[in-house]
Amino acid sequence: MDSKARSSDKASQEMIGWMAENNQQNAWDRFEAQSPQCGFGRLGLCCRICSMGPCRIDPFGEGPQAGVCGATADTIAARNLIRMIAGGAAAHSDHGRDIAHTFKMAVESDKSDYMVKDERKLKEVAARFGIEIKDRKIKEIGLDLANAVLKEFGKQEGTLITAAAYPPKARQEAWKNLGVTPRSVDREIVEIMHRTHIGVGSDYINLVKQGIRASLADGWGGSLIATELSDIMFGSPQPIRFGVNLGVLDKDQVNVIVHGHEPTLSDIVVQVAQDKELLKLAQEKGAQGINIAGICCTANEILMRHGVPVAGNFLQQELAVMTGVADVMLVDVQCIMPALGSLCECMHTKLLTTSPKCKIAGAEHIEFHEDKAVETARKIIKIAIENYTNRNGQACIPKHKERGIAGFTTENTFYHLGGRFRASYRPLNDNVINGRIRGAAGVVGCNNPKQIHDSCHIEMMKELIKNDVLVVSTGCGAIAAAKVGLMRPEAAAQYCGKGLHEVCETVGIPPVLHVGSCVDNSRILTVLANVVAEGGLGEDIAELPVAGAAPEWMSEKAVSIGMYFVASGVFTVIAEPLPVVGAPNLHRYLTEGIEKDVGGKWAFEKDPIKAAHMMIEHIESKRDALGINEEKERKLYDMEDRRALKVE
Ligand code: NFS
């Protein structure tokens, strides 16, 4: 077992070795045990939607070319693909719905543990929903917004309000022409399940169209709602320093690791961990304090708002437990490996599940209800404190940790480029137009044991910033970047091309910007909408010199995200191909034909440097089309000219 072939992250390499020494299995071992994986599945050629099957298509053209019902490779792969989108959109959007319920509870009651923390954002979002603001109380506006937002999930008529209020008009026109304007969040997901049932649609393009529609209901709907309401309720992020990697765990403190996706409980856990009574209790047990650290997107949520340290990304969840100092692993929903159950049983770590949607064998279930948030959080921290004394065996905490800055948002960051007193998107657009920044790329998404952990994210990001492409990141990709220092402002001098370096240095930002969790990919959409609105770079997102990538993706959520970026007009490269490679027409449509319908398209490329250059090439072609690549004569200023310049 070569730990360097598994992860490029030193802390992870150390822990992978430590797991092997202790005969503990991890995701990489299980991945090996699964190899070779099913070729039919990988190509997308296996159908088990009805019980005449399972059927499979022979990719070599010798065996069957249709399932029992007559479904071809294109039909089968398209159905499977859009069912993945349904899964991903459902996960994001159900998260959004839960936040909306908590928000409603907060504005309805005076006793709630939650409140409106960002009144300005509340008013801005309410105005987008057409809610009356003037002279009204915050709670009244909030209640109207909560009700309006909750309707977005299940309404039967009309179209999604957010999909009309946020994207550029030209984008909305493109969706209208194709017939993919999302109507309501749940409806699009349900319709995927209906359309993919045996004997409904078989036309692969028509199937993909519904996938597009549901993904748009995710990105511009459920996810966007999750982000906006989280900002209102937990506070809009501001640039904040943080520590990252397994080295943030502290053997002398009670360590509570929060893992999953929702900020609702973890935000309260962070507050409660500072409670004097609980700190005293921890000291009585011999601990120096209570240390909260996060994994995956729960980490990103509380990092963005409180600077809580990040222990690691998706493939580090087992490694964190293996340190022997995780007193509680507190999980909510999504990206939680069932393997944690048996691993925690071997260690002293208490695995606590909290959502009725997510119970795990081997875990203790402490059900979380929003109306008892503080009470539940206290109970959990007490369990961790009690468990501190049960630590047994050797602690193995890698020393590696990095520092960085996170907390960038649509509202704060890009206005920052204009300086505090001239806040606008103008300087960002101008720097793109003058070519200092060639364009921007979103490099986001998961880890996948099919790639060397973190390495694809990091290599791709370095190549992009070297070529003056500003990178924004979310999810596990952002954590990968932070671990190698790409989120330190000093990284600009070390890794960027001249133009991007100049901009980063002037504004004081790192070249890779952490914009949050995966539902916060909606922030990238709203940044793009604002860039279009600012003017000078075309009328539509599809005209912008931007690209997207998920170089280590694995989840269904990533498929939904990729599809809503493509359908918003963004060229998107992923490493592991979508499971459509065995379906020639569908494959061609997603990587070519779809562009004329939605402005964006997919590409599959495993080599992160090659993929980065595909993105750069795309960005340059968009610059050419905008006419901003023509060499302009540079004016050299002498002292006389400088004096004549007016200071505004
Ligand atoms: Ni996104 Fe965030 Fe990570 Fe992938 Fe999972 S945590 S929601 S799905 S693995 S980036």
Side-chain angles (χ1 to χ4, degrees), residues 261-501:
H261 284 76
E262 297 186 347
T264 325
L265 172 58
S266 48
D267 203 90
I268 303 278
V269 167
V270 174
Q271 272 176 45
V272 168
Q274 288 151 20
D275 180 304
K276 287 206 179 86
E277 202 184 299
L278 290 171
L279 284 168
K280 199 165 149 252
L281 195 64
Q283 275 157 7
E284 280 166 18
K285 299 282 176 191
Q288 287 176 1
I290 303 168
N291 183 33
I292 312 288
I295 298 235
C296 284
C297 285
T298 297
N300 289 323
E301 294 280 353
I302 51 177
L303 157 66
M304 291 284 282
R305 299 192 175 87
H306 307 290
V308 171
V310 178
N313 49 11
F314 176 71
L315 276 176
Q316 288 180 290
Q317 55 189 287
E318 293 172 285
L319 311 183
V321 171
M322 199 60 204
T323 58
V325 297
D327 300 303
V328 154
M329 171 68 105
L330 177 66
V331 302
D332 47 71
V333 288
Q334 301 170 24
C335 300
I336 303 150
M337 291 189 193
L340 289 182
S342 51
L343 180 61
C344 288
E345 274 172 359
C346 294
M347 309 295 289
H348 89 295
T349 306
K350 278 225 151 65
L351 177 64
L352 303 180
T353 53
T354 52
S355 163
K357 295 170 199 166
C358 172
K359 294 191 180 181
I360 295 173
E364 186 181 330
H365 189 70
I366 299 187
E367 197 144 305
F368 169 64
H369 295 284
E370 287 79 353
D371 55 346
K372 295 199 179 69
V374 168
E375 196 184 312
T376 317
R378 287 183 69 89
K379 188 170 166 191
I380 288 163
I381 301 240
K382 277 189 187 158
I383 293 177
I385 295 172
E386 290 297 330
N387 201 28
Y388 176 79
T389 53
N390 294 334
R391 284 192 195 169
N392 47 22
Q394 229 177 313
C396 175
I397 312 176
K399 290 209 175 54
H400 307 277
K401 68 176 166 194
E402 243 313 333
R403 297 201 65 81
I405 298 182
F408 298 102
T409 65
T410 310
E411 292 84 359
N412 69 29
T413 313
F414 302 92
Y415 289 117
H416 278 169
L417 284 169
R420 191 180 282 262
F421 301 107
R422 279 187 307 168
S424 99
Y425 269 65
R426 198 66 254 156
L428 173 63
N429 285 29
D430 283 347
N431 276 310
V432 174
I433 292 167
N434 68 29
R436 264 193 207 97
I437 301 177
R438 308 305 296 171
V443 181
V444 305
C446 326
N447 300 137
N448 186 331
K450 287 179 180 172
Q451 277 92 28
I452 300 174
H453 171 226
D454 286 351
S455 71
C456 298
H457 285 295
I458 294 162
E459 283 183 40
M460 176 182 277
M461 288 179 193
K462 283 186 180 166
E463 193 64 19
L464 289 166
I465 60 178
K466 186 169 106 190
N467 287 282
D468 292 319
V469 174
L470 178 69
V471 172
V472 294
S473 188
T474 59
C476 292
I479 299 174
K483 283 189 283 177
V484 294
L486 290 174
M487 287 180 172
R488 300 167 73 120
E490 307 88 272
Q494 199 177 345
Y495 299 109
C496 293
K498 195 165 154 272
L500 180 60
H501 174 203

